[in-house]
Amino acid sequence: MTVFTEKNGIFIKDTDIDLAKTFDCGQCFRFEKDEDGVFMGVAHSKALRLWERDGGVFIEGITEKEFDGLWRQYFDMDRDYGQVTKALSEFGAVAAAAEKGKGIHILLQDPWETLCSFIISQNNNIPRIKKIINALCALLGKELAEGVYAFPTPEAVVAAGIKGLAPIRSGFRAKYIIDAAEKVVGGLDLEALRTASYEEAIAALCMVKGVGPKVANCVALFGLGHTEAFPVDVWIKRVMDKYFDKDFSPSVFGKNAGIAQQYLFYAERYLS
DNA sequence: TGCCAGGATGATG
DNA sequence: CATCATCATGGC
C-alpha cells in the first residue's frame, strides 16, 4: 500500500480493500454510495467522501498526516487480509466465504457509537437500524455540514432522556441506549477496554442493559479492535455447526480469528 | 422458561 | 392482497 498526496485529498494505491463490501457487511451503518460510486458517511465525527479509482481508493479532504493519525487504523490498512482469506479457503465448506468476503476490511469505529449502534441492531434489520441511527444523529448530533450530522455524544443522549428519544422510534431499545449513555458518562471507560482482554471487555460491556454476548462481541470487534476473538458460544456457533467440521479450531486464524468471523457473517447469505 | 418489546421486509397463502 | 416469520437479542 502506498499513499500519495493529491490536490484535494489522498490516493491509496495497491490496496485490496473493497469499499462496498466493507461498508455493507453489517459492521457499519453510516455510509451510503451515490449513483456516481461515491461513498459518503460520517466516522469519528468527520464527514467523509471516498471512492475507488485506478485500482485504489481516493479519500477527499484529508492529508497524509491525518491518514496516518486516524484513517489508516480506521480502515485497518496494515493487516494482511490475504492471510485471512487463505486460512478460510483451506476449509472446503467455507472456501466460498473467503471468495465472497475478499476485500472486506474490519473498521475500527468509535467505541461509544459502536455500542449504541449494536444495541439498536438487536433483533432488528439493517434498513431500520440505519433509519434509527440517522434519526438519532439528526436529533442530537452536531451538524458537520448541511444535513450531515455527527454521532451524538453520550452526554447529549443523557440530556435527552428516554422521552427525548421518542422521535427516533427505537422502540424497546430506547431504555438500553439511555443506560449505555449514563454508564459512559458515569465513568465506563470504553477506550480502556481496547487494551483489556477480550473476556474483560465482554464482561464490562454486558453490564450495560440490553447488551448480551452477541452485542458485546460486535462492540469488541468493531469498536475496540479485538480482532483476535472468535467466540464459539455466540452467533458464530450456528454457522460453525453448519459449515465446519466438529474438530475445527478457530486458532488456525490466529490474531485474525474475529475477522474470519466477519467474513463468514457476510458470506453466510450466499452459502446454502 | 417462555414471552415480550417497534417496525420493515420478504416469503407464503 | 393479507398474514406471517424473521431480525447478529436480552430482560424479566
Side-chain angles (χ1 to χ4, degrees), chain A residues 128 132 165-171 173:
Chain A
R128 185 161 181 248
I132 292 170
L165 289 186
I168 74 171
R169 309 192 67 105
S170 55
R173 305 166 189 86

Side-chain angles (χ1 to χ4, degrees), chain A residues 20 42 55 71 82 129 168 183 186 199 224-225:
Chain A
V42 179
W71 304 106
I129 296 163
I168 74 171
K183 288 207 163 75
E199 289 74 18
L224 302 175

Side-chain angles (χ1 to χ4, degrees), chain A residues 11 16 18 79 85 110 117 145 147 168 171 181 186 190 197 210 245-246 271:
Chain A
F11 181 64
D16 62 346
D18 181 311
R79 186 185 308 271
T85 47
D110 173 75
S117 298
I168 74 171
L190 296 173
S197 71
D245 295 328
K246 269 182 230 148
L271 303 170

Side-chain angles (χ1 to χ4, degrees), chain A residues 99-119:
Chain A
E99 196 49 45
K100 286 288 177 189
K102 198 174 276 181
I104 293 174
H105 277 212
I106 301 299
L107 301 170
L108 184 57
Q109 303 177 65
D110 173 75
W112 152 246
E113 173 173 344
T114 310
L115 173 59
C116 226
S117 298
F118 281 87
I119 285 172

Side-chain angles (χ1 to χ4, degrees), chain A residues 122-270:
Chain A
Q122 64 160 271
N123 190 249
N124 212 342
N125 55 66
I126 289 174
R128 185 161 181 248
I129 296 163
K130 284 184 170 176
K131 195 182 280 186
I132 292 170
I133 292 173
N134 282 333
L136 176 64
C137 293
L139 183 70
L140 299 173
K142 182 184 171 194
E143 189 166 23
L144 302 170
E146 197 176 332
V148 181
Y149 299 89
F151 197 86
T153 62
E155 287 81 5
V157 172
V158 169
I162 192 154
K163 282 192 174 162
L165 289 186
I168 74 171
R169 309 192 67 105
S170 55
F172 62 89
R173 305 166 189 86
K175 55 187 179 291
Y176 303 150
I177 297 169
I178 295 294
D179 188 60
E182 285 175 350
K183 288 207 163 75
V184 170
V185 170
L188 171 60
D189 188 350
L190 296 173
E191 290 292 337
L193 297 180
R194 288 204 163 141
T195 48
S197 71
Y198 174 78
E199 289 74 18
E200 284 174 307
I202 294 295
L205 290 167
C206 285
M207 300 295 285
V208 176
K209 281 182 195 149
V211 176
K214 286 188 188 157
V215 168
N217 177 58
C218 290
V219 177
L221 180 55
F222 306 131
L224 302 175
H226 279 286
T227 54
E228 79 284 11
F230 194 127
V232 295
D233 56 340
V234 295
W235 166 83
I236 197 70
K237 189 176 189 314
R238 185 170 59 81
V239 180
M240 286 183 59
D241 289 347
K242 208 160 152 189
Y243 301 109
F244 284 114
D245 295 328
K246 269 182 230 148
D247 57 353
F248 164 78
S249 164
S251 64
V252 301
F253 297 114
K255 288 164 69 174
N256 294 326
I259 291 167
Q261 175 192 331
Q262 189 61 14
Y263 274 60
L264 278 173
F265 173 70
Y266 176 77
E268 203 218 350
R269 67 185 101 157
Y270 303 107

